[in-house]
Amino acid sequence: MLVIKDLHAKIEDKEILRGINLTVKPGEIHAIMGPNGSGKSTLSAVLAGNDKFEVTEGEVSFNGKKLLELPPEDRSREGLFLSFQYPVEIPGVSMVNFMRTAVNEHRKYKGEEALSASDFLKKMRDKKKLVEIDSKLTNRSVNEGFSGGEKKKNEIFQMAMLEPTLSILDETDSGLDIDALRIVANGVNKLKTENNATILITHYQRLLDYIVPDYVHVLYKGRIVKSAGKELALELEEKGYDWIKKEFED
Amino acid sequence: MTVTSQIVNLQEEYLALYNQNEAHLLNGAPDRMNELRQEAIGHFERLGIPSNKVEEYRYTNLQPFFKGTLSIGFSNEQLGVKLGDIFQCDVPELESYPVFLVNGWYSFQNVKDFGLPEGVIMGSIAEIGKKHPELLEKYYGTAANMDRDGLIAMNTAFAQDGLFLYVPKGVVVDKAIQIVNIMTGDVDRLAFQRNLVIMEENSQARIMVCEHTLSPNKYVINSVTEVIACENAVCDIYNVQNQHNLTTQVASTFIRQKAYSNVVTNNLTLHAGVARNNVVVTMEEEHCESHIYGLYLTDKNQHVDNFSFVDHAKPDCLSTELFKGVLDDRATGAFAGRVLVRKDAQRTNAYQTNKNLLLTEDAKINSKPQLEIYADDVKCSHGATVGQLDDAAMFYLRSRGVSEAEARILLMYAFAYEVIEKIRVEPLREQIRGLVEKRFRGELDKCDSCVVCGQLGNSLTCL
Ligand SMILES: Nc1ncnc2c1ncn2[C@@H]1O[C@H](COP(=O)(O)OP(=O)(O)O)[C@@H](O)[C@H]1O
Ligand SMILES: [Mg+2]
């Protein structure tokens, strides 16, 4: 589904991704862990198409398409979803209007008719239940005045609305209390099928108690320096990142 | 009677025009309007049409627009426009009392029995001024200061008609009053309009003004509106400007506020050639509240200049100003907001904000706050911002599958939204939301049917 080969990216002449290789197949859950500043968010931003970062080398194929050649909206329409580490507040754009536009643009891309107002509202209702998000939030402007936890729930709500095949969740667990974490994890688990895949970016083991990964990767200084099964997460929880840092100090 | 003149040297020719037509001007106008003409033309002779050498018009040199071959109507000719064919002012959601003015003159064509609340007087200022001279005697010319601005002097010298509204003590006008100003005819035209709104104690009214152009001629409009809000009166004035690119409009609104009065003005410039809006508020007594809003959406070579002046002459008053603009292509704009807090105007609250969104590198805005504070116990603030569309928000929307074009529209709308939400008339707010969205989609055509007042579309080539 996703094949990343030797991906390099920079911002303002600073190379942040320094040769990433990763393959994700349908039905898999990958966790990417690693200390702060190692490039996890940069990787997700580059995959989603943020042009602040410049890709200098490498290629990415997504369901057979050259991902890096697509504008961000087409990556989304092709089934890629990024849950932002820091969701953006957009005063004046209502959640309903935003989601209606997004859902219908996805449908148009697939050659489907726009949803009728009542079908759309029904879809909103169903998905809201799934992530236990308060109706009050979806009646407001996008993320405006939302608490940290509400913003993260809202990301998962949007994911539910757009039904992606590959979801990248960038620190969706950070800043969540235990109840919110459980709700978010439940939502992700319920949306999971054998045809879609998830990349969980986190630096805590905590989330992985709820969403069990098939693979765990450690990203350090712009490279994946270690890959293993879920037991690696427990080892990192126990020993921290220092041993990795020592091992891979340039 | 219509006179056509070739204007090259402004003052001289306008003076001559006045002198040649003084008899027509005096003929049929109420005494009070005529009494002020001599003094007004004197001020005009001294001040002239403002160029950008006049501080308050620094970013808008109006002189070129007042030159050329222009026709002026010196009597109410009605021009054979069949309003019923053009306008269909029965938009069901927008329950209102509709009034039409054609080229600055009150139209008697569509006048029906409005069923206005008892005691409310509405109609042509030329006509009512003669029936109720005492009302003009007391209020006409008391708000619009003509010795500082040549355009106000010019209007006072030349204006013969306009809208008159009187709302007596304690009367609440339930439906909105809708004034449709139409510029039309097959000659290039200069029009003067003079409106007077008198809100007695405890009265309430909401006024919507739509400005339209119906034919592709050059129009220059110099209109002055005076509003007197007596004690505890509540008055909203919304001005929706949707005119073609050959229009130059100077719209000046002067508001005198008495104790506990509450006034909202909102100039919504959706489409114009050159627009200059002046809003001047004088707080003559304590505990007044005034909200001055403006939204300007410009593209191509359009130019919109908003000027406001709030005179906090008495203590315990509140003024809030919010002006927002979206400028595309090579459009230019200006905002200047002067706030004067006089020495004994203690506990004044005055807040002013001007925010601009520039969509291209060629679009330009000049924003100038001017606070003069002579009292010590006051809360005043001002802020001006100029920015582009927010990249982070843009990426967020696109990352959900929203196209770049659609994301731009959502964000531009989001920017304008703050001003639209200030509209206190719900159906109008809804209509304006739709119009603004259409404008951003490039679908608003001033030749289109106007959803605000129900103007039916016509097939003019759009300029
Ligand atoms: N907009 C930016 N401008 C400059 N440097 C950036 C920017 N975004 C990220 N970086 C740098 O890139 C590196 C990786 O950041 P990031 O991808 O956010 O790490 P992580 O998500 O793993 O904590 C850091 O050194 C950070 O300072
Ligand atoms: Mg990060």
Side-chain angles (χ1 to χ4, degrees):
Chain A
M1 168 181 278
L2 180 76
V3 182
I4 304 176
K5 279 194 194 139
D6 194 29
L7 183 64
H8 290 250
K10 65 173 189 182
I11 188 163
E12 294 156 8
D13 289 329
K14 190 165 137 198
E15 187 168 50
I16 300 182
L17 301 184
R18 304 188 303 151
I20 304 260
N21 292 290
L22 181 69
T23 300
V24 178
K25 298 200 180 80
E28 291 179 350
I29 298 179
H30 291 245
I32 298 180
M33 305 182 77
N36 271 333
S38 56
K40 303 183 297 294
S41 292
T42 303
L43 174 62
S44 57
V46 167
L47 293 177
N50 190 335
D51 61 11
K52 267 200 323 198
F53 300 94
E54 189 194 334
V55 174
T56 50
E57 244 184 284
E59 45 189 85
V60 179
S61 107
F62 179 53
N63 291 331
K65 296 223 160 111
K66 290 185 172 173
L67 188 74
L68 300 176
E69 288 174 8
L70 301 176
E73 53 269 38
D74 283 349
R75 299 183 192 198
S76 166
R77 295 161 182 172
E78 288 287 341
L80 184 85
F81 181 86
L82 169 62
S83 166
F84 283 60
Q85 180 174 7
Y86 303 108
V88 183
E89 297 197 16
I90 315 181
V93 175
S94 77
M95 268 311 293
V96 176
N97 208 3
F98 171 36
M99 277 296 102
R100 188 188 298 119
T101 310
V103 166
N104 284 332
E105 292 220 25
H106 276 246
R107 293 180 67 90
K108 194 164 83 189
Y109 190 75
K110 293 192 200 114
E112 295 167 0
E113 292 272 301
L115 280 185
S116 71
S118 64
D119 286 349
F120 174 75
L121 291 176
K122 183 176 179 308
K123 185 175 176 131
M124 286 268 290
R125 257 197 317 275
D126 294 348
K127 303 298 182 185
K128 272 193 290 206
K129 263 194 228 126
L130 189 76
V131 293
E132 299 177 40
I133 189 169
D134 197 328
S135 275
K136 271 185 251 143
L137 295 182
T138 52
N139 287 333
R140 299 219 311 244
S141 290
V142 179
N143 293 322
E144 190 188 21
F146 287 25
S147 70
E150 287 167 345
K151 283 181 183 164
K152 297 302 173 79
K153 270 197 205 173
N154 192 18
E155 295 292 286
I156 303 304
F157 166 67
Q158 293 173 43
M159 172 178 152
M161 289 294 290
L162 298 174
E163 299 165 355
T165 50
L166 176 66
S167 304
I168 305 168
L169 310 185
D170 189 0
E171 311 245 2
T172 301
D173 53 331
S174 58
L176 294 187
D177 60 37
I178 196 73
D179 285 336
L181 181 71
R182 194 180 38 75
I183 292 168
V184 163
N186 269 341
V188 173
N189 285 329
K190 279 187 222 158
L191 293 168
K192 194 78 206 67
T193 71
E194 59 190 26
N195 299 318
N196 61 22
T198 311
I199 297 175
L200 295 173
I201 295 175
T202 179
H203 51 263
Y204 302 109
Q205 153 67 24
R206 205 170 64 141
L207 178 67
L208 306 181
D209 291 339
Y210 293 89
I211 309 173
V212 183
D214 302 299
Y215 302 94
V216 175
H217 310 276
V218 178
L219 187 67
Y220 182 58
K221 290 200 171 167
R223 287 199 187 105
I224 289 180
V225 295
K226 228 176 186 47
S227 294
K230 62 179 182 236
E231 67 285 351
L232 177 58
L234 290 169
E235 192 178 351
L236 288 168
E237 178 81 352
E238 210 176 293
K239 301 204 279 189
Y241 290 106
D242 284 352
W243 60 284
I244 296 212
K245 287 187 188 170
K246 265 195 209 106
E247 207 170 316
F248 294 95
E249 212 50 65
D250 291 359
Chain B
M1 199 204 88
T2 296
V3 172
T4 302
S5 353
Q6 169 90 31
I7 307 283
V8 184
N9 296 319
L10 296 168
Q11 251 126 313
E12 279 167 46
E13 283 133 347
Y14 281 119
L15 267 176
L17 193 70
Y18 177 87
N19 289 327
Q20 283 151 20
N21 295 286
E22 197 174 21
H24 298 298
L25 286 167
L26 298 173
N27 180 26
D31 291 346
R32 173 67 180 167
M33 290 180 85
N34 290 338
E35 276 162 29
L36 298 183
R37 291 190 203 281
Q38 274 299 332
E39 188 192 339
I41 202 71
H43 288 305
F44 178 74
E45 187 174 4
R46 177 171 55 84
L47 297 161
I49 305 287
S51 72
N52 48 2
K53 294 202 183 77
V54 175
E55 180 59 26
E56 287 177 355
Y57 285 83
R58 199 157 133 202
Y59 299 107
T60 308
N61 178 6
L62 284 168
Q63 292 192 347
F65 303 101
F66 280 79
K67 289 180 183 169
T69 305
L70 294 166
S71 297
I72 304 173
F74 286 97
S75 62
N76 197 342
E77 293 173 325
Q78 298 294 307
L79 286 162
V81 183
K82 283 247 167 52
L83 294 173
D85 295 350
I86 305 165
F87 287 89
Q88 192 189 33
C89 266
D90 54 1
V91 181
E93 312 88 285
L94 215 70
E95 283 257 301
S96 68
Y97 301 110
V99 185
F100 296 90
L101 290 104
V102 179
N103 298 339
W105 294 85
Y106 189 84
S107 165
F108 292 94
Q109 222 182 87
N110 267 34
V111 177
K112 42 189 169 199
D113 183 9
F114 291 127
L116 280 162
E118 206 176 325
V120 174
I121 306 169
M122 181 164 78
S124 150
I125 193 171
E127 193 191 41
I128 293 171
K130 278 177 272 174
K131 278 193 219 152
H132 299 276
E134 72 290 353
L135 290 175
L136 261 65
E137 216 54 59
K138 192 165 170 193
Y139 296 113
Y140 182 87
T142 62
N145 200 340
M146 61 177 168
D147 60 8
R148 287 176 50 102
D149 184 335
L151 291 167
I152 308 305
M154 187 189 204
N155 177 284
T156 309
F158 282 96
Q160 290 173 280
D161 203 5
L163 181 98
F164 178 91
L165 173 67
Y166 174 82
V167 185
K169 246 185 213 176
V171 172
V172 175
V173 182
D174 49 349
K175 293 185 227 168
I177 291 166
Q178 182 166 24
I179 304 168
V180 183
N181 286 322
I182 302 158
M183 292 303 294
T184 188
D186 50 12
V187 290
D188 294 351
R189 192 168 275 280
L190 168 60
F192 301 98
Q193 186 174 328
R194 183 73 177 226
N195 309 310
L196 178 60
V197 174
I198 304 164
M199 304 289 304
E200 290 278 22
E201 275 168 46
N202 296 310
S203 67
Q204 293 187 24
R206 297 165 306 174
I207 301 166
M208 297 166 348
V209 185
C210 319
E211 310 275 1
H212 288 286
T213 42
L214 286 193
S215 40
N217 291 81
K218 173 181 165 180
Y219 296 118
V220 183
I221 304 150
N222 174 356
S223 73
V224 173
T225 302
E226 294 183 284
V227 179
I228 290 92
C230 296
E231 191 170 331
N232 210 33
V234 180
C235 182
D236 292 21
I237 302 176
Y238 304 98
N239 189 358
V240 183
Q241 294 169 330
N242 192 18
Q243 297 160 319
H244 66 53
N245 285 356
L246 280 179
T247 314
T248 300
Q249 166 139 46
V250 186
S252 308
T253 307
F254 291 83
I255 302 162
R256 291 176 55 196
Q257 291 195 231
K258 303 290 186 186
Y260 294 95
S261 60
N262 183 320
V263 175
V264 167
T265 56
N266 198 338
N267 279 310
L268 300 141
T269 311
L270 303 183
H271 202 288
V274 174
R276 161 77 178 209
N277 298 310
N278 296 310
V279 179
V280 178
V281 176
T282 309
M283 300 186 158
E284 298 182 353
E285 292 179 5
E286 302 175 9
H287 297 284
C288 311
E289 210 176 296
S290 204
H291 305 281
I292 307 164
Y293 305 122
L295 177 67
Y296 40 102
L297 313 178
T298 59
D299 57 12
K300 306 204 180 67
N301 287 316
Q302 296 173 356
H303 177 80
V304 178
D305 180 350
N306 278 290
F307 171 82
S308 69
F309 174 33
V310 184
D311 183 352
H312 278 271
K314 288 282 153 30
D316 297 299
C317 295
L318 163 71
S319 68
T320 60
E321 292 182 66
L322 175 66
F323 284 83
K324 290 186 117 177
V326 180
L327 297 95
D328 203 350
D329 301 328
R330 295 162 310 283
T332 52
F335 168 78
R338 184 171 168 220
V339 176
L340 170 62
V341 181
R342 292 186 194 259
K343 198 155 170 277
D344 60 346
Q346 297 297 359
R347 296 170 304 281
T348 286
N349 284 286
Y351 308 104
Q352 181 186 87
T353 309
N354 173 227
K355 293 184 184 166
N356 299 283
L357 195 54
L358 300 186
L359 300 178
T360 67
E361 289 190 354
D362 295 326
K364 275 195 190 65
I365 178 81
N366 282 290
S367 182
K368 196 179 107 188
Q370 195 187 336
L371 268 57
E372 296 162 52
I373 302 171
Y374 300 102
D376 44 33
D377 181 14
V378 301
K379 286 201 189 94
C380 292
S381 69
H382 67 84
T385 62
V386 179
Q388 286 79 40
L389 287 173
D390 178 2
D391 285 343
M394 193 75 189
F395 176 62
Y396 189 77
L397 295 172
R398 292 179 70 191
S399 78
R400 300 308 186 229
V402 177
S403 68
E404 186 175 5
E406 198 66 29
R408 271 168 72 94
I409 291 166
L410 283 173
L411 292 177
M412 287 192 288
Y413 181 80
F415 179 84
Y417 154 96
E418 207 184 343
V419 177
I420 301 171
E421 292 314 294
K422 303 291 187 193
I423 298 173
R424 298 196 288 200
V425 183
E426 171 55 46
L428 177 68
R429 186 163 67 225
E430 203 43 57
Q431 306 276 17
I432 294 294
R433 282 191 193 123
L435 269 184
V436 168
E437 194 181 326
K438 263 186 120 180
R439 173 71 163 103
F440 287 139
R441 287 188 187 285
E443 291 164 5
L444 176 71
D445 194 327
K446 57 159 209 317
C447 306
D448 258 353
S449 171
C450 167
V451 296
V452 179
C453 66
Q455 177 205 342
L456 297 175
N458 57 40
S459 54
L460 283 176
T461 13
C462 297
L463 299 158

